[in-house]
Amino acid sequence: LTLPAAMATVIKIDFTKNIVSFAHVGDTFMFVYFADGTSKVFSDDKNKKFDEEVFSLLRNIAQENNLTYHKARQDKRINEAIKTMYYRRNNNPNGKGSGLINGDPHLKLYIQTGEIALQGVKAILLGTDGLMPQGWSEKNEEDRQKVFDEIQKGGFKKLFATKQKSEND
């Protein structure tokens, strides 16, 4: 649990073949925006279900004890839940976890790869789950469009400001 580790979505753009190849692992993402106004997520976030278990416990502790999430985070049960989650999730040899780039050979169970034709593609955005404002979902096409609009209006600075506001709210 103390080894350096990373999660990533890596792309290779081949203009000769007019395709984008990708390799993905973890809670990063790849959004593809099309000229017809639609978008699609091409990466799967296998971490989300594990994160939600911890967030659910955090919400319960906060509500039961009338605490802020920040205070509830200090509860020993949260630390134990996070440790347990790491063992269940990170490169679990049963294939039911999530991948983590840390030298573990079980990572190969979790690498997602694919190719996308560039025809009709307007933009590609690579990011991490930490890029999304609170309440916005990578899976929701409307939210992906809001991310694109924020970047178009004011670059990543605008998106970061929106994210920070959502966290403060």
Side-chain angles (χ1 to χ4, degrees):
L1 296 178
T2 61
L3 292 174
M7 298 175 188
T9 301
V10 180
I11 64 172
K12 175 185 169 189
I13 301 173
D14 185 333
F15 291 108
T16 307
K17 295 180 182 175
N18 209 30
I19 59 168
V20 174
S21 304
F22 70 90
H24 161 80
V25 66
D27 59 2
T28 56
F29 60 75
M30 178 175 70
F31 296 167
V32 177
Y33 295 93
F34 298 97
D36 66 3
T38 62
S39 66
K40 187 172 178 187
V41 178
F42 280 88
S43 51
D44 60 350
D45 181 356
K46 294 185 184 303
N47 280 357
K48 197 168 210 68
K49 69 180 179 182
F50 296 99
D51 292 342
E52 268 309 309
E53 290 174 12
V54 174
F55 291 141
S56 178
L57 176 61
L58 180 69
R59 283 189 294 272
N60 289 341
I61 291 170
Q63 288 172 352
E64 288 170 6
N65 299 292
N66 199 26
L67 299 171
T68 65
Y69 291 142
H70 182 73
K71 291 272 189 203
R73 171 61 182 89
Q74 306 310 312
D75 189 289
K76 290 178 184 177
R77 291 174 287 177
I78 297 296
N79 289 335
E80 281 304 311
I82 290 171
K83 286 179 196 173
T84 300
M85 174 193 65
Y86 285 163
Y87 286 112
R88 286 181 39 235
R89 181 189 73 189
N90 296 342
N91 297 333
N92 192 321
N94 70 10
K96 296 180 180 176
S98 182
L100 186 68
I101 303 168
N102 66 356
D104 185 319
H106 295 113
L107 169 67
K108 65 185 174 193
L109 298 171
Y110 298 101
I111 298 173
Q112 176 192 2
T113 60
E115 289 184 347
I116 304 154
L118 282 173
Q119 185 175 357
V121 172
K122 176 170 59 173
I124 298 172
L125 175 64
L126 303 179
T128 178
D129 66 340
L131 183 65
M132 298 295 286
Q134 295 297 308
W136 296 14
S137 170
E138 297 92 3
K139 294 183 181 194
N140 183 308
E141 187 166 4
E142 242 178 69
D143 291 342
R144 290 192 303 271
Q145 187 59 47
K146 289 192 300 191
V147 168
F148 185 79
D149 293 344
E150 290 285 293
I151 294 169
Q152 291 293 85
K153 288 177 193 170
F156 282 98
K157 188 174 183 178
K158 171 101 169 90
L159 179 60
F160 296 159
T162 300
K163 177 180 173 40
Q164 188 171 28
K165 182 180 180 329
S166 74
E167 291 170 347
N168 291 341
D169 290 349

